[in-house]
Amino acid sequence: MRATYLKIITLILVFLLAGNSYVALTQGSSGHRAHGLDFAGMDKSVNPADDFFDYCNGEWLKKTAIPNDRSSYGTFDILAEQANKQTSDLIMEASKSPRGSEASKVGDFYDAFMDEKAIEAKGLSPLKVELDEINAIGDKKALAHVFGSELRADVDPLNNTNFYTDRLFGLWVSPDFDNPTKNVPYMLQGGLGMPDSDTYLGTEANSVELQTKYRAHIAAVLKLAKVEGVDAQADRIYELERKIASIHVNRADSADVLKANNPWRLADFSSKAAGLDWPAFFEAAGLAKQPMIMVWHPGGITGEAALVGSQPLDVWKEYLRFHAIDRAAGLLPKAFADERFNFYGRALSGIPQQSERWKRGVRATSNALGDAVGQLYVKHYFSPQAKATVQTMVKNIVVAFGHRIDNLEWMSPATRAKAKAKLDTLYIGVGYPEHWRDYAGLKIVRDDPLGNAQRTSLFDYRASLAKLNKPVDKSEWWMTPQTVNAVNLPLQNALNFPAAILRPPFFDMEADPAQNYGGIGATIGHEISHSFDDQGSQFDAQGRLQNWWTAQDLAHFRESADRLAAQFDAYEPLPGVHVNGKLTLSENIADLAGVSAAYDGLRLAFGGKPAPDSEGFTGDQRFFVAFGQIWRGKQRPEAMRLQLATDGHAPDEYRADTVRNVDGWYGAFNIRPGGKLYLAPDARVRVW
Ligand SMILES: [Zn+2]
């Protein structure tokens, strides 16, 4: 998939982060690093031609263990940990802010989350209103009403590639595929407790084990809630979810935007997706006055509506009760939070130990009040000089990318003109958004942590609905400044580079340009490339879903892309489990294009000459080592398996090794035939 740079929105984080579950996973121990390249972390005994990843990171890999509260550890985690520590300090400070100020909401949200004694004392009572509402459902119309009232803006299929919600459906408000000057509601399938349909339907040992553990998790939650007839009920809930899984659109089809462009008039839902009382659903969801809804998963929504019609009301009520409790688990007494971690953290992601509560509190707060925390963050940690320097790099890399487009022999003049137009209208946000979200109207109470989370998610939902009546803001951000990631927004023809990724080793005001271009420069190039790749080519300069490539151009592009897919298919991170070259293709193209454009951008920064030598390395070597070091990381096998199956990003090691396709790398390290990564010039993949 396109969009994000790193695998931050893996399902692991989605499950353990606020939004779907209200609860946050956090980051472990510290790992600060001084300025400059990490020479001590390299293994210079390794020949870069054989294993470039190890050459750049070998010593670090040898001496680093994955902390117990994590499924993986690397550059991203270390940076996220720093951002977490920084936001933690800011949140503590915010507790002292004047009552009623936005900062005081930040402090109160966190304080409420941290008051474990009060949470323990209240038991399940904070859920009473929601559970009473479910218990009172008397017919399928009332059931539809509850489903509608529970709809949230908790998915983002395009920008953050988050297709997951445990609610019946998910909603996303974004510019219309066919008319990007107006916002429309997109509706996605949902309703599963496990990551995706494959986990329910798989017959291999690993899937079967997870199925058993998930069913046990349902029973454990019901038991904690003192429900009667736990085992039979867990079986019914599991079986209902398995039925939902069996009609779900799979992950690969979910990622295909051409299959998602299905505008349905509201009046058509009852005939196209019979079984659910749609008027009651839309009324409760606040969508009844919308002229249309873009149905992302017609098959999933039709199938789920049919199940609402065919499956017994009582089973749906059991299902709703279970999910209400499990979703809130992190803000319920410890036994509930521990059980949720036991399945989603331990079983699904292989994380041995839940992170400390304060860390979860920081992430939950930062997630719930993203822009309020973000404002505090950039004020303290992102200077105007840093912003200006990155903007200059952006200009050079955009120019470099333009030259690459100009020089593509196979691209037709018509396609080239459209590509250049798209580059000209690209909006690139650096550090933080131009307009901050306003949290006036959101009630945060110091002794009501679950209520705070519920009100925040409703507030977000209403804010999304409010966008339906406003003009599209092309400069709207889809990541908070304290997020360590970057993102491409196809419908806005825009990119976001949050402040928290504009830090070492990606970017350092005190580092030389070679290092910064190899780090954040490659990231910038990566995101730009997404605007022009197999998926970016489906959106024009205005963000409209409209292919602007000629068939011949696309054929040329695909030919190179297929060769890159084959290169990645050959990698085997776990015995017998290979990287899926097709699933990771867009990201692998973007990595290759990104490092290539950043390399050119570095030349431009020095008037066409190579970057100067320093610390015993040439400028080119420093550039590539910086690139190799941003990918350092290691992963538990469970998390690796989940990533290989569901994530559009290849494992870090192979992302670093993509330098084998770049001519400059061969010159920089004097790479000769015989090295394991060596590719003859005509075997190197050149997409751009
Ligand atoms: Zn990407």
Side-chain angles (χ1 to χ4, degrees), residues 1 251 580 583-588 643 646-650:
M1 266 315 288
R251 180 67 171 73
N580 182 336
L583 177 68
T584 56
L585 182 59
S586 285
E587 293 303 331
N588 296 333
Q643 183 187 349
T646 61
D647 202 296
H649 304 87

Side-chain angles (χ1 to χ4, degrees), residues 1-6 486-488 526-527 530 533 586-588 590-591 649 655:
M1 266 315 288
R2 75 153 37 74
T4 55
Y5 188 52
L6 293 156
V487 66
N488 182 302
H526 172 113
E527 294 303 335
H530 276 316
D533 63 17
S586 285
E587 293 303 331
N588 296 333
D591 282 341
H649 304 87
R655 298 184 72 174

Side-chain angles (χ1 to χ4, degrees), residues 177-178 257-258 415 418 422 532-541 543-555 557-558:
F177 277 141
D178 303 313
V257 289
L258 296 177
T415 302
K418 288 192 170 135
K422 197 166 175 183
F532 303 92
D533 63 17
D534 51 332
Q535 299 189 55
S537 63
Q538 296 174 321
F539 296 86
D540 70 12
R544 188 178 293 106
L545 182 59
Q546 188 176 66
N547 198 310
W548 47 273
W549 289 52
T550 66
Q552 294 93 315
D553 290 326
L554 209 54
F557 183 82
R558 292 233 164 97

